[in-house]
Amino acid sequence: MPFAAPFLPILRDPPLLLAAGLLVLFGAHVASLAPYVSALAVTVFGLGDGAYSVVLMVASVVAVASSIGFGIIADQRANRRGVALATAVFLTIGTGLVPLAPKTPVFVLAHALLLPLSGSFFGQLFALARLAASLHPDPTRRAVLSTLRAMFALPWVLVLPVWALVFRAGAPVMLVYPVCLVLAVTILLCVWFWWPRDGATRWPDPKSGLTFRQSLREIWAPAILIRVLALGTIHGAITLYLVLIGLVFEAVPGRGAADTALYAGLTAGLEVPFMLALPLILGRVPQVKLIFVGAAIYAVHLAGLPFLAGTALVWVLPVFAAIGGAVVLTQPMAYLQDLMGDRPGAGASLMALQKLVGDAICATVFAAGVAVSGYGLTAATGAALSVIGAGALLVLDRRRR
């Protein structure tokens, strides 16, 4: 498959093009905010490591509960545009409150409640993309979905180096909030004007016909949950990296926010070409085996970050982060969507459930690790758990076959 081939269906299909554009905007929002939230919580808003762990846990519960609820409702009523609008509104309000009232209670409200309520927007974007891509042949569909995930990573390449320059020039880190507010408003307007009207799409999107309880029972089936748990350990490693990156560089003399932006930007910049190259091997390597290899490579980057942060060797780690990240940021998501067949809302719910498991693992490992030893033990524990989870998934699928 030519390198540019996955882009052609996206450019020719308005809903896929909308999904790509929204993923770029949403990626820019997350890239501007996520690497700095933990450091801002501690250094600006006065939250300790333990208090911030509680915020992370509450945010995870809110995010997964709302995502499962929104996903089930979207499948039941086939009203995906309404759900996307609601989550975009939460994103806008949650982002705007912090710069308007920069107080600790407002920060906690935004990051523990409002922004987590917008978390299902990512899943709704991929539900839209999956439905639109269903009109294409299966190999094209897989390549398109992998390419769209790369669109979410692309802003990290462009945005974070700019933030590095801005912070080196002396700008306050709180500047990320008004910039993210502009992005959130743009996302809301794009959804309002261009998201396909429910019931008027080119692809079939029937109502699920399941009650809320039946939908929950389907999601909570043991065979599904054990796989979500295994994949959650991988998501926990990714989340732990975002939590630790700012804190690790802030703790090293001579480093700070600019180095955080540079490291995250290098990682995302290298992730994009690896993600775009994934369609060349999809179908040739079993998906679960690919996930295991990706998790092992990503673990090298996570475990090594606290120990190498003060040395020049730290700049080698983004290579491991990008190669592993290209796999663990795309294939678990595709795996979960395939588990739920033709119910993309339920697939989005599984993605949220995986995120809850990952965030819970991240919060637990972070709280225990910093209490016992520090960031080094925290990172090593998260890395080890992700490899164990990927190995468990490999064993489970071998037994199923």
Side-chain angles (χ1 to χ4, degrees), residues 102-173:
K103 305 293 183 181
T104 301
V106 174
F107 175 87
V108 172
L109 174 67
H111 287 278
L113 179 62
L114 295 174
L115 289 175
L117 283 172
S118 72
S120 98
F121 184 71
F122 184 81
Q124 295 307 315
L125 283 177
F126 273 92
L128 171 66
R130 183 178 177 83
L131 288 166
S134 67
L135 301 177
H136 298 274
D138 188 61
T140 303
R141 178 183 64 83
R142 292 189 179 190
V144 164
L145 293 177
S146 180
T147 303
L148 286 175
R149 183 58 183 80
M151 294 298 96
F152 180 76
L154 182 62
W156 295 71
V157 186
L158 306 174
V159 170
L160 288 173
V162 173
W163 281 121
L165 294 175
V166 169
F167 294 143
R168 285 189 188 278
V173 181

Side-chain angles (χ1 to χ4, degrees), residues 17 20 24 42 52 56 67 102 118 141 156 169 181 185 199 241 265 305 309 312 325 355 372 385 387-388:
L17 187 59
V24 170
V42 174
Y52 184 57
L56 286 176
S67 293
S118 72
R141 178 183 64 83
W156 295 71
L181 179 58
V185 171
Y241 154 64
L305 180 60
K355 184 180 185 300
V372 173
L385 286 176
V387 176
I388 292 170

Side-chain angles (χ1 to χ4, degrees), residues 254-268:
R255 300 211 185 273
D259 294 290
T260 301
L262 182 58
Y263 186 97
L266 281 172
T267 298

